[in-house]
Amino acid sequence: MTFSSHTRLSLIALLMAMLAASCATLGKPSDSGAIYNQFIREPEILIRSEPVFLRDLLDALPDSTMRSLAGTLLPNGSAGNATLLLDRAQADKALSRTRLAVVGISLSGTASGNTTVPVTEIVLEGNFPSVLTPLSFALDPSWRRVPGGWKSNGGSLYLHDPRGGYLHFSTEAPLPRKADDPYRFALSPGSKVALRSGMDRVQTDLALYLDAQSRLIAGNPLLKGVELPFDGIMLIGIRSSRSPAQASAFAEYSCSLRVLMKDEETARIYRPLVRLLWMLTSRRLADRGIPLPQDVTVEQQGSAVVIGTINLRMSAMLDIAMRLASEPL
């Protein structure tokens, strides 16, 4: 599976999760501090987003992409305009019940024959009670009961047994947990990454963390032969007050990159190298039709080297993500 096809699969999984969430019954709020504890696998890519960002993303998705996704979600049904509009409306309804969404991607994934299939996990935090939510899925003919949760009849997406306030979806079948499981109180793989990266303390509209040990970074030609002692890279996005009040593909986000170093001294020493790598990266992106400024500030802030700020519209952010997915650096 190429990274491009996996990006498409992740987008489909996220849309399916939102559509499924639109049918869940309202309940009491949950504790956002525990959202990372729902993950089963240790994600190499961790994304945290507020509903406002997802609404802008939904508005930025072209109709052709929505039709394609609708055809994938409903392989036996119509993927015409009626379904397209229905999917957008259902996804927006789900977002009205969601306070926070976190996506984790494990590129090491699970073995399937002679290949490794990445695994995507999506956790929605909101008004999803543990008693009535399972009943909603039990009565939905598009889902069927499997050990540990439910499986979508329209694709390889699973819902883990719901816990109060959370919906946990995965492209991998859930593993039922026994009541006497000795690991049930242990820190989950997702929480370990959130604590190590600082994602558990982020409160922005968008945050994306890429672990330094991930295959995407390990195979990056720009880092070949370069010794850069860092833990990961975090992208921060804050919706501008100049953006439209409603969801819009033209909403503007102030973005910055944080290269997370081992300590403050390391960040100070390697700041010039990070600046050089940014200039090389931005030139390489420009050659692919993705113009990003080279003259942004590169500053040390504690144990991080911060690149930014770069102002981007949602439509531009989506275009950059899809281009990089089809042709990684």
Side-chain angles (χ1 to χ4, degrees):
M1 175 179 289
T2 65
F3 185 62
S4 176
S5 62
H6 177 253
T7 301
R8 175 183 171 84
L9 177 60
S10 299
L11 188 58
I12 291 172
L14 178 60
L15 185 57
M16 287 186 70
M18 289 192 293
L19 295 179
S22 68
C23 302
T25 310
L26 294 175
K28 296 181 179 180
S30 59
D31 178 10
S32 60
I35 190 169
Y36 299 101
N37 212 35
Q38 310 300 313
F39 287 87
I40 303 300
R41 288 186 172 270
E42 184 168 320
E44 297 168 53
I45 303 173
L46 193 58
I47 306 169
R48 176 197 185 279
S49 63
E50 301 281 349
V52 63
F53 175 84
L54 294 176
R55 282 194 170 94
D56 289 338
L57 174 62
L58 188 66
D59 191 73
L61 286 172
D63 286 353
S64 58
T65 301
M66 290 296 293
R67 289 191 183 94
S68 176
L69 292 175
T72 305
L73 296 174
L74 302 171
N76 297 322
S78 170
N81 290 330
T83 302
L84 170 68
L85 297 175
L86 177 63
D87 288 342
R88 289 188 187 275
Q90 285 185 303
D92 189 71
K93 180 181 177 182
L95 290 175
S96 68
R97 304 184 177 196
T98 302
R99 284 194 309 280
L100 184 62
V102 175
V103 178
I105 302 174
S106 172
L107 298 177
S108 55
T110 182
S112 177
N114 296 323
T115 62
T116 299
V117 180
V119 172
T120 298
E121 294 185 73
I122 300 167
V123 180
L124 304 179
E125 174 195 297
N127 295 322
F128 310 118
S130 57
V131 176
L132 296 179
T133 300
L135 180 61
S136 299
F137 284 89
L139 297 176
D140 190 336
S142 61
W143 293 82
R144 70 175 184 273
R145 193 76 164 102
V146 296
W150 280 264
K151 182 180 186 300
S152 169
N153 291 326
S156 298
L157 185 70
Y158 298 86
L159 170 70
H160 295 236
D161 282 329
R163 302 178 182 182
Y166 298 102
L167 291 182
H168 178 192
F169 297 89
S170 175
T171 57
E172 182 180 45
L175 296 175
R177 291 186 177 183
K178 299 179 181 179
D180 58 348
D181 186 346
Y183 298 103
R184 68 185 185 278
F185 297 117
L187 200 63
S188 79
S191 290
K192 291 178 182 178
V193 175
L195 288 171
R196 184 171 70 242
S197 64
M199 283 283 283
D200 61 321
R201 299 182 295 277
V202 172
Q203 299 294 325
T204 55
D205 300 307
L206 169 68
L208 184 153
Y209 173 74
L210 178 59
D211 194 273
Q213 302 303 315
S214 73
R215 290 192 297 168
L216 288 181
I217 289 183
N220 192 310
L222 289 176
L223 294 177
K224 187 176 182 180
V226 176
E227 183 178 346
L228 188 64
F230 69 111
D231 294 324
I233 301 174
M234 186 181 296
L235 167 68
I236 296 294
I238 301 174
R239 199 176 197 266
S240 170
S241 58
R242 300 186 299 271
S243 299
Q246 69 277 13
S248 173
F250 299 102
E252 189 175 273
Y253 283 80
S254 298
C255 303
S256 62
L257 287 170
R258 302 178 63 87
V259 181
L260 308 179
M261 297 294 188
K262 305 294 182 182
D263 50 48
E264 291 189 22
E265 183 179 2
T266 305
R268 178 180 58 80
I269 293 173
Y270 283 89
R271 184 188 67 82
L273 178 57
V274 171
R275 179 174 180 80
L276 175 61
L277 289 173
W278 168 252
M279 293 178 63
L280 294 174
T281 300
S282 58
R283 289 173 184 172
R284 190 161 184 164
L285 291 174
D287 291 340
R288 298 183 185 179
I290 306 175
L292 291 178
Q294 297 183 23
D295 58 348
V296 297
T297 59
V298 180
E299 301 177 338
Q300 175 198 353
Q301 293 183 9
S303 60
V305 179
V306 181
I307 304 169
T309 302
I310 302 171
N311 295 318
L312 293 170
R313 287 182 173 180
M314 170 56 73
S315 55
M317 294 174 65
L318 178 61
D319 180 60
I320 291 172
M322 298 306 291
R323 285 172 180 258
L324 291 178
S326 60
E327 189 180 358
L329 287 174

